[in-house]
Amino acid sequence: MNKLIEVKQNIHIYYYSSSQTTHTTKPDGTEIIKFKNGQSETHYRNGSKDIIFPDGTIRHVLPSGEEKIKFSDGVTQRVLTNGDKIIDFPDGQRETHTSLYKRREYPDGTVKTVYQDGRQETQYANGRLRIKDPDGRVVLDRLPTVPPPLKATPHSFSQPS
């Protein structure tokens, strides 16, 4: 049985007994929905919404459809309107997921990319590049070329006169 349980200062609160859900509508059009499992959703007039899950995860959906999610373990994730995901980890790592590849960037500058066809490319912080084919075989493992240090010659410095 659905029931209007309270009206105060143009705030309407409905209770839906079948789902044990409370639905509050405020004068500015904001709607707050509280579910039996502890989940809470706030829907704003501009089309955005905030969803708070029982584990502490917070999901913010923008009117454009882009999403920003903060998980209870400190991981944050953005889901762009094209479906790409950018995930930031508390230890400084970042992952990017697109339809073409998945890439992980490490705090030391190392970047590992896995392409849709299974190829893998790792660019290490020291400049080393390793590429593997879809079967995991190394097809390129190149160390950075470092020019030899310049040597000073006795004639390269002028002597004061």
Side-chain angles (χ1 to χ4, degrees), residues 53-58 69-76 90:
F53 296 91
D55 69 354
T57 298
I58 300 170
I69 305 166
K70 180 159 177 91
F71 295 94
S72 56
D73 63 359
V75 172
T76 60

Side-chain angles (χ1 to χ4, degrees), residues 107-125:
D108 72 354
T110 298
V111 178
K112 181 171 185 174
T113 305
V114 179
Y115 294 94
Q116 186 179 23
D117 67 0
R119 289 178 297 127
Q120 299 177 34
E121 180 179 300
T122 306
Q123 179 76 52
Y124 294 91

